[in-house]
Amino acid sequence: MRLDRYLVALGEGSRTEVQDRIRRGQVCLQGHVMTRPETECGRNPEITLEGRRLDTRLIRHVMLHKPEHVLTAARDRKQKTVMDLLPGVYASLGCMPVGRLDRDTTGLLLLTCDGELNHRLLSPRRHVDKVYEAEVEGTPGAEEIRRFGEGLFLGDFTAAPALLEILETGEHSLARVTIHEGKFHQVRRMFEAVGHPVRRLHRSAFGPLILPEDLLPGTFRELTETEENAVYAAAGMERKQ
Ligand code: URA
């Protein structure tokens, strides 16, 4: 990739701004000042901007603890989106949410700059498990566990068999459900269909990723190497970079 494009991708300014900085001798590539914006960078380049060493990784993966009242969207003119919770470099690099959580759903959301990985993790053929904890009205029992396990008819489609576990019972119960699809409002619709509407929904795991307890709502971190490897394996792909 050209040096000017690389700097734009890293969120260091507009094309004109970075070209100007390169021409003024503010940018070093592999330790040498480069004044031509079209200089090719090669793979994993070492770039400094006015002496500041840049993180030049183009492919990054982020685990976000999505809070309530935030949209899973790249941008929205009125409402806060998950991209607003991350530094701008992730948007510049083209990081996108893998699937979506409803505005009121909390929990683990993966974002990645790798479009193919994103696509494959969402493919129904890959059967990537998603685990949700749901606070529901009333107490689901053996009948609901059976119906979830058989695959529920939801009007326009039949949900694939899902594992339902009841964790706490009462006027409002706590249930854990494991699904491998990701249809719009799927978990809410499944509980609605068996007469136990969802009051709160939280995703605690996505494929091999488990939301760490110390990752507070609204905060994020990049995946560890082990997590990255596990996510690529779940997608049936070789890890990039
Ligand atoms: N199912 C839902 O109903 N909502 C979510 O946010 C995720 C899964």
Side-chain angles (χ1 to χ4, degrees), residues 100-102 105 132 179 183 185-189 201:
R100 64 184 298 282
L101 293 177
D102 296 338
T105 302
Y132 295 89
I179 59 173
K183 300 262 176 22
H185 293 330
Q186 179 163 344
V187 174
R188 291 176 200 272
R189 290 180 66 193
L201 190 60

Side-chain angles (χ1 to χ4, degrees), residues 51-64:
R52 174 170 55 96
R53 174 95 184 255
L54 302 184
D55 178 351
T56 56
R57 292 168 308 134
L58 295 175
I59 301 288
R60 306 185 199 185
H61 319 276
V62 164
M63 183 196 281
L64 171 74

Side-chain angles (χ1 to χ4, degrees), residues 32-44:
H32 302 287
V33 176
M34 291 292 161
T35 52
R36 287 174 41 250
E38 63 274 21
T39 308
E40 281 299 322
C41 285
R43 279 173 68 84
N44 302 323

Side-chain angles (χ1 to χ4, degrees), residues 3 25 27-34 45-49 51 53:
L3 186 54
V27 180
C28 285
L29 177 65
Q30 312 300 127
H32 302 287
V33 176
M34 291 292 161
E46 186 190 309
I47 304 177
T48 56
L49 186 55
R53 174 95 184 255

Side-chain angles (χ1 to χ4, degrees), residues 25-229:
Q26 293 176 1
V27 180
C28 285
L29 177 65
Q30 312 300 127
H32 302 287
V33 176
M34 291 292 161
T35 52
R36 287 174 41 250
E38 63 274 21
T39 308
E40 281 299 322
C41 285
R43 279 173 68 84
N44 302 323
E46 186 190 309
I47 304 177
T48 56
L49 186 55
E50 288 191 286
R52 174 170 55 96
R53 174 95 184 255
L54 302 184
D55 178 351
T56 56
R57 292 168 308 134
L58 295 175
I59 301 288
R60 306 185 199 185
H61 319 276
V62 164
M63 183 196 281
L64 171 74
H65 186 158
K66 181 191 164 303
E68 276 185 308
H69 310 138
V70 173
L71 292 184
T72 306
R75 70 179 74 84
D76 189 89
R77 272 195 285 152
K78 294 208 184 97
Q79 299 189 61
K80 198 170 191 174
T81 75
V82 290
M83 295 313 292
D84 296 325
L85 300 173
L86 303 177
V89 64
Y90 293 103
S92 302
L93 288 170
C95 242
M96 296 292 284
V98 180
R100 64 184 298 282
L101 293 177
D102 296 338
R103 184 174 176 275
D104 290 337
T105 302
T106 58
L108 197 167
L109 184 69
L110 172 68
L111 299 100
T112 179
C113 305
D114 185 336
E116 189 189 350
L117 176 70
N118 193 329
H119 181 74
R120 285 206 187 208
L121 287 171
L122 293 178
S123 161
R125 280 191 299 129
R126 298 235 63 94
H127 289 225
V128 174
D129 278 347
K130 291 115 192 156
V131 182
Y132 295 89
E133 270 89 52
E135 186 188 313
V136 301
E137 292 191 8
T139 306
E143 171 66 6
E144 285 74 25
I145 293 174
R146 185 188 62 74
R147 290 181 66 193
F148 270 53
E150 281 178 353
L152 270 178
F153 180 61
L154 295 177
D156 50 349
F157 82 105
T158 302
L163 175 68
L164 174 61
E165 299 161 279
I166 310 303
L167 307 177
E168 286 169 26
T169 59
E171 191 186 338
H172 303 136
S173 306
L174 189 63
R176 180 187 296 134
V177 59
T178 306
I179 59 173
H180 60 251
E181 296 166 306
K183 300 262 176 22
F184 191 56
H185 293 330
Q186 179 163 344
V187 174
R188 291 176 200 272
R189 290 180 66 193
M190 288 169 79
F191 279 106
E192 189 81 43
V194 296
H196 297 281
V198 168
R199 293 166 54 87
R200 267 194 286 182
L201 190 60
H202 175 83
R203 183 157 72 189
S204 55
F206 178 88
L209 303 176
I210 296 170
L211 187 69
E213 276 184 15
D214 59 358
L215 193 67
L216 301 176
T219 66
F220 74 97
R221 69 160 170 77
E222 290 200 8
L223 299 193
T224 62
E225 198 176 329
T226 312
E227 288 168 339
E228 252 187 57
N229 287 335

